Amino acid sequence: MTPPQRTGTAAALALLLMTATACGGSGSGSDSGDGELNVMMYQDTLAVVQHNAAERYNEGADVRAVIDEVPGDGYDDKLRTVMGSGEAPDVFFNWGGGSIEPYVEQDMLLSLDDALEQNPEMEEAFIPSVLDAGKIDGVQYGIPLRGTQPVMLFYNEQVFEEAGVEPPETWDDLLSLIDTFNEEGITPFALAGNTTWTQQMWLQYLVDRRGGHEVFQRIQGGDFEGWRDPAVLWAAETVQDLVDRGAFGDNFASVSYTEGGASALLAEGRAAMHLMGSWEYSTQLAEAPEFAEEHLGYTTFPEVPGGEGDPAAVVGNPTNYFSVTTEADSAAAVDFLKQTYTQEYVADMVENGEVPVTTNAEELLDNSPNPEFARYQYELVQEAPTFQLSWDQALPRTAAEPVLTEIDRLFNGQTTPEEFVDALAALQ
């Protein structure tokens, strides 16, 4: 999954939303009398699960759920447009965090706290850390609808075997492996450096491991002085050290993710490791199936020296969420959300290669295309005390792009760690 581009300005967005609020907007919701529950979905191969859910829902409901798929590249822009046009969907796909915060601020989203209280099985259905990531300021606005996507450390088992080394369990192990693979003429870590969110993954884990989950939670909560936490400076200094050690090779800035450059380096043995979202397995299975099935290893990001963070914590995309607008028939919308944890829905996800975030998923994982990898992912997330949403999805739009820019400058030696911290703390 590649995070969609965020375009447009916060001012434009605010104007759109204020206009919608002022007009009152009839919306496409079922309370407008059309007898339909409009569900806006991100268009991809996984949406078949939501289509099946809508069919089951429609068999016994007075209100008919209608799935409206929007191409991924334009999804964010289309959502902003319809939310500001008075034609907001009743239910819509999102990433939680900063992707829905503007709508919460404009009172356009329905709090789902009452739905959880009145339907306790709904709260019990999901892994707690993932359900919590659907909250804004402690209020539930999102219900998980898709599988989990933690960031993991993938490695080439053949390369490791030939070098006589094991995957890293500590930071010292990781530094030692950098030296080993550099001596072997192999790039220690593949990094698609012309795509900034791949670099962001490193800082997310370094900050979380060093300072704990609370460091970024403070920033996500709007206190950008939190960027001055010592853990952030340490992480920036560590990135600089990794670059100087040759951890990513000499040409990482020109390596493409979308064109498969980093994944190819790993599969071909030209790189030993790759920090990437769990979708790397599917990517390798499609592009290098023999490598994926026989030589692709995976493990967790190691502990760091002096780290206060829990080494079991994970970062990435906990899942995607359904949120409900205030224009919707809330009873019909909540009934539709109950589809997301039925046995049929979860079975569809597993069959489609996803790893569900429901507590009833474990017994179904043997039906996954790769049960061993699916079970590893599931347990990794289930046992994680926290699951930090990707920074560029968690932050407000006005901050996400500048943060990515500064991360890119840090990796490419265009700023010092101290300047990096100052620049982020100056953001609004």
Side-chain angles (χ1 to χ4, degrees):
M1 184 218 74
T2 301
Q5 295 297 310
R6 286 178 161 163
T7 57
T9 66
L13 176 61
L15 179 60
L16 279 170
L17 298 180
M18 289 174 66
T19 302
T21 304
C23 292
S26 61
S28 54
S30 53
D31 65 343
S32 61
D34 60 7
E36 292 187 348
L37 187 74
N38 185 269
V39 181
M40 184 170 167
M41 271 300 302
Y42 187 92
Q43 185 180 65
D44 59 19
T45 58
L46 302 180
V48 64
V49 175
Q50 287 71 47
H51 278 285
N52 291 344
E55 288 183 11
R56 287 191 295 271
Y57 172 83
N58 290 339
E59 289 175 358
D62 295 330
V63 177
R64 182 170 177 272
V66 178
I67 302 289
D68 177 21
E69 284 193 53
V70 176
D73 286 345
Y75 184 87
D76 223 15
D77 291 340
K78 177 67 180 295
L79 178 62
R80 286 201 301 273
T81 299
V82 297
M83 291 294 277
S85 69
E87 295 294 330
D90 298 305
V91 178
F92 65 96
F93 168 105
N94 61 77
W95 291 262
S99 71
I100 60 170
E101 199 168 86
Y103 311 125
V104 172
E105 292 172 353
Q106 293 294 323
D107 296 324
M108 298 181 73
L109 300 190
L110 180 72
S111 163
L112 299 172
D113 283 354
D114 288 345
L116 292 174
E117 184 176 348
Q118 294 164 12
N119 302 279
E121 81 283 358
M122 182 180 284
E123 183 166 10
E124 295 166 0
F126 298 101
I127 295 173
S129 63
V130 177
L131 186 63
D132 284 349
K135 293 180 178 177
I136 299 290
D137 295 333
V139 179
Q140 196 76 43
Y141 287 103
I143 294 299
L145 75 100
R146 281 195 165 170
T148 188
Q149 298 171 333
V151 174
M152 304 162 65
L153 187 57
F154 292 88
Y155 62 96
N156 186 317
E157 292 179 336
Q158 275 188 313
V159 169
F160 270 67
E161 184 176 345
E162 289 169 4
V165 293
E166 299 292 332
E169 294 182 359
T170 68
W171 194 250
D172 285 342
D173 290 344
L174 185 144
L175 296 180
S176 176
L177 287 171
I178 291 172
D179 294 339
T180 297
F181 289 118
N182 275 331
E183 290 170 3
E184 296 281 335
I186 297 170
T187 301
F189 290 95
L191 178 63
N194 76 349
T195 311
T196 312
W197 56 262
T198 64
Q199 300 166 337
Q200 174 185 254
M201 291 175 175
W202 279 91
L203 277 160
Q204 289 175 169
Y205 259 130
L206 289 169
V207 170
D208 200 279
R209 288 285 190 269
R210 179 72 172 194
H213 187 62
E214 297 75 14
V215 175
F216 189 74
Q217 286 299 292
R218 177 185 172 191
I219 297 165
Q220 186 175 342
D223 183 0
F224 281 13
E225 279 296 306
W227 289 114
R228 297 192 187 281
D229 189 286
V232 178
L233 178 60
W234 179 86
E237 291 171 341
T238 301
V239 163
Q240 189 176 59
D241 179 59
L242 290 172
V243 172
D244 291 344
R245 288 173 181 264
F248 310 113
D250 297 328
N251 301 311
F252 68 87
S254 63
V255 177
S256 166
Y257 178 78
T258 55
E259 295 178 4
S263 297
L265 287 175
L266 182 70
E268 294 168 5
R270 290 186 288 154
M273 297 170 275
H274 188 200
L275 186 67
M276 184 45 59
S278 57
W279 58 87
E280 175 72 3
Y281 177 81
S282 299
T283 301
Q284 294 289 1
L285 194 61
E287 301 298 328
E290 182 178 346
F291 169 70
E293 293 172 358
E294 298 183 16
H295 304 300
L296 179 62
Y298 41 85
T299 187
T300 56
F301 196 86
E303 298 182 46
V304 302
E308 298 178 4
D310 193 318
V314 295
V315 306
N317 296 330
T319 185
N320 298 115
Y321 297 89
F322 270 144
S323 292
V324 179
T325 63
T326 52
E327 296 294 320
D329 177 334
S330 59
V334 170
D335 278 345
F336 178 74
L337 296 184
K338 293 178 182 176
Q339 287 287 327
T340 59
Y341 50 90
T342 63
Q343 195 81 356
E344 294 91 341
Y345 189 96
V346 176
D348 277 354
M349 293 175 71
V350 171
E351 186 177 334
N352 212 29
E354 296 186 75
V355 176
V357 294
T358 54
T359 52
N360 66 345
E362 190 168 8
E363 60 196 68
L364 300 173
L365 295 181
D366 285 343
N367 298 325
S368 168
N370 184 334
E372 182 180 352
F373 181 66
R375 195 169 295 283
Y376 180 86
Q377 260 194 93
Y378 183 79
E379 292 175 356
L380 180 70
V381 173
Q382 189 178 42
E383 294 170 6
T386 57
F387 194 146
Q388 176 58 56
L389 175 63
S390 298
W391 289 358
D392 58 338
Q393 297 294 343
L395 290 171
R397 302 173 197 285
T398 49
E401 287 297 332
V403 167
L404 288 174
T405 298
E406 291 302 323
I407 289 174
D408 190 53
R409 283 166 48 81
L410 178 69
F411 270 81
N412 286 284
Q414 297 168 339
T415 189
T416 68
E418 291 79 9
E419 291 169 342
F420 173 78
V421 167
D422 287 342
L424 297 188
L427 295 173
Q428 298 296 324

